[in-house]
Amino acid sequence: MKKILLLLANGFEAVEASVFTDVLGWNKWEGDGTTEVITVGLHKQLQCTWNFQVSPEKLLNEIALEDFDALAIPGGFEEAGFYKDAFSEEFQQVIRHFNENKKPIATICVASLALGNCGILQNKKATTYSHPTSKRLAQLQSFGASIINERIVQTDHIITSSNPGTAFDVAFSLLEMLTTTENTQKVKDLMGFK
C-alpha cells in the first residue's frame, strides 16, 4: 500500500485537496487498490479558504514521515492565512524530508511557493499561479526557481501547477507516479476523464 500524506495548511482550497482524496480514493476501490490518503495538518481544526472547517485525520506531530510514500499539498489564499502554515518551519521540514528521499511531491497552484520557500526549487523548472494580474510567478522566481510557462511542470519527483483548474491533472500525474500509466487510464476512464 502506498501512503500519501495530504498536507493541509490553514486557508487551503478545499477543491484542491479533494481531488487528491477523490482520485487516489477511486484508485483504492476501483483501480489497483494500492493508494491510501491520510490528511495531516498543524491544527486540530483547519479553516478552508471559504466558509467551512475540516478536521485532519492526524496532526503532524502524530505521524512518522518515513511511513509515507508521497506528499500532496493543495494551495490556498494569503487572505485566509495560507502562508502562515505553508511557510512555517514544521511544514518546511516535511517538504525537505520528501525531497531528500526523492519521494513524489505534488503541489497545486500556489502550494509550489512552499517548496520554493524551503529552497528545494533552486535552479529547478517549476510554475505557480500564473494569472497576469498575480505576483506569484515573480515570488517563485525570487526563490531561485526556473519559471516554465506551462499548466503543469514535472521535474524529477516534483509536480507544480499554474492554477486550480489543473487540480485533477496533478492528482492523476501523482497516481501515475505511484502506480502505472495503464492503471491511471483505467481510473480516469471510470471517473469520466478522457
Side-chain angles (χ1 to χ4, degrees), residues 31 41-42 47 50 53 96 142 152 154:
L42 302 181
Q47 178 73 41
W50 314 119
Q53 294 186 330
R96 286 191 204 103
S142 76
I152 295 174
Q154 187 171 332

Side-chain angles (χ1 to χ4, degrees), residues 8 42 57 74:
L8 304 175
L42 302 181
E57 293 163 83

Side-chain angles (χ1 to χ4, degrees), residues 54-73:
V54 297
S55 301
E57 293 163 83
K58 297 280 185 185
L59 290 174
L60 193 49
N61 62 12
E62 297 173 338
I63 62 162
L65 297 179
E66 298 76 28
D67 294 345
F68 292 86
D69 302 287
L71 174 65
I73 311 175

Side-chain angles (χ1 to χ4, degrees), residues 73 75 83 105-117 121 123-132 134-141 143-155 158-164 166 170:
I73 311 175
Y83 298 104
I105 300 173
T107 63
I108 298 171
C109 201
V110 296
S112 59
L113 293 168
L115 309 188
N117 186 62
L121 295 181
N123 304 313
K124 281 198 164 68
K125 293 175 179 171
T127 192
T128 193
Y129 185 57
S130 63
H131 192 274
S134 174
K135 63 184 179 186
R136 299 302 176 196
L137 277 177
Q139 188 179 6
L140 189 65
Q141 196 166 21
F143 292 136
S146 302
I147 301 300
I148 304 294
N149 192 15
E150 289 175 14
R151 290 182 78 247
I152 295 174
V153 178
Q154 187 171 332
T155 306
I158 297 172
I159 303 168
T160 57
S161 87
S162 57
N163 59 61
T166 63
V170 170

Side-chain angles (χ1 to χ4, degrees), residues 166-178:
T166 63
F168 270 107
D169 291 335
V170 170
F172 285 125
S173 294
L174 178 59
L175 178 60
E176 191 167 348
M177 287 171 86
L178 293 171

Side-chain angles (χ1 to χ4, degrees), residues 32 172 175-186:
D32 71 5
F172 285 125
L175 178 60
E176 191 167 348
M177 287 171 86
L178 293 171
T179 65
T180 63
T181 303
E182 296 71 29
N183 179 64
T184 304
Q185 279 306 129
K186 178 187 172 186

